[in-house]
Amino acid sequence: MPWSLIGSWVGMFVFFPSAPLLLLAAFADPRRRPRTARCLAAAGLLLTAAISLSWWNRKY
């Protein structure tokens, strides 16, 4: 029981940043909305950069 709680916390911490990226990718279809797709791609790039930099700059 305690291991499942620890595992769920670790899983949420590791995989939570991918959820907004999946939502952005789902709506970024350039055939339907070219302008919106460009904006969502830029938002995904900024989100990825922010997540990567926050992980990179951790000092324990």
Side-chain angles (χ1 to χ4, degrees):
M1 175 72 176
W3 288 110
S4 63
L5 293 174
I6 293 170
S8 65
W9 278 98
V10 170
M12 285 192 312
F13 183 69
V14 171
F15 295 113
F16 182 70
S18 66
L21 289 175
L22 288 172
L23 286 174
L24 289 173
F27 293 113
D29 185 13
R31 291 173 291 183
R32 288 188 187 173
R33 292 170 248 131
R35 188 177 211 172
T36 306
R38 242 181 269 141
C39 293
L40 290 175
L45 181 66
L46 289 173
L47 181 64
T48 303
I51 291 169
S52 298
L53 288 174
S54 70
W55 277 88
W56 187 267
N57 289 329
R58 289 184 186 254
K59 294 182 175 79
Y60 294 106

